[in-house]
């Protein structure tokens, strides 16, 4: 998963939102997590996204180009690139500047690879 900042305090003076792009490699899946008190909006530019959510990731929906996904605060979820061979490209907007990721001990319905979701933004 590659993330690039477009709008934040340092780049544009934004006080309450963060916006950028996210590229998710083919067939990639995160583990179960939430983003604390942040709200997230995902706009799918290219590819097919699958989102699982709920206390046991029991709900599922898919989104394609032109679709929006809303993730409320504290909602456990798993992000999935539903394509085995196409990159998923999205625009992401969050209600805060700090990158919050709380990994959860929930057995995912779709098993991610054994790579933890850690990058320079999300420690």
């Amino acid at each position: 998963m590659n993330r690039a900042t477009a709008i934040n305090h340092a780049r544009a003076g934004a006080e309450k939102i963060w916006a950028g792009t996210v590229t998710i490699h083919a067939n990639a899946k995160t583990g179960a997590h939430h983003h604390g008190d942040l709200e997230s909006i995902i706009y799918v530019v290219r590819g097919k996204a699958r989102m699982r959510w709920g206390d046991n990731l029991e709900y599922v929906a898919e989104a394609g180009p032109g679709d929006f996904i809303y993730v409320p605060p504290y909602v456990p979820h798993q992000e999935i690139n539903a394509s085995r061979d196409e990159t998923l490209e999205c625009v992401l907007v969050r209600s805060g500047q700090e990158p919050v990721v709380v990994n959860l001990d929930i057995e995912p319905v779709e098993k991610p690879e054994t790579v933890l979701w850690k990058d320079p933004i999300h420690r």
Side-chain angles (χ1 to χ4, degrees), residues 6 9 24 39-40 49 68-70 75 81 101-102 119:
H9 183 72
I24 302 171
E39 293 178 287
S40 300
F68 285 89
I69 301 168
Y70 170 67
V75 170
N81 181 340
V101 174
V102 178
D119 60 31

Side-chain angles (χ1 to χ4, degrees), residues 23-42:
T23 302
I24 302 171
H25 304 291
N27 204 36
K29 303 166 187 71
T30 68
H33 64 281
H34 69 72
H35 300 287
D37 65 351
L38 300 179
E39 293 178 287
S40 300
I41 297 171
I42 302 163

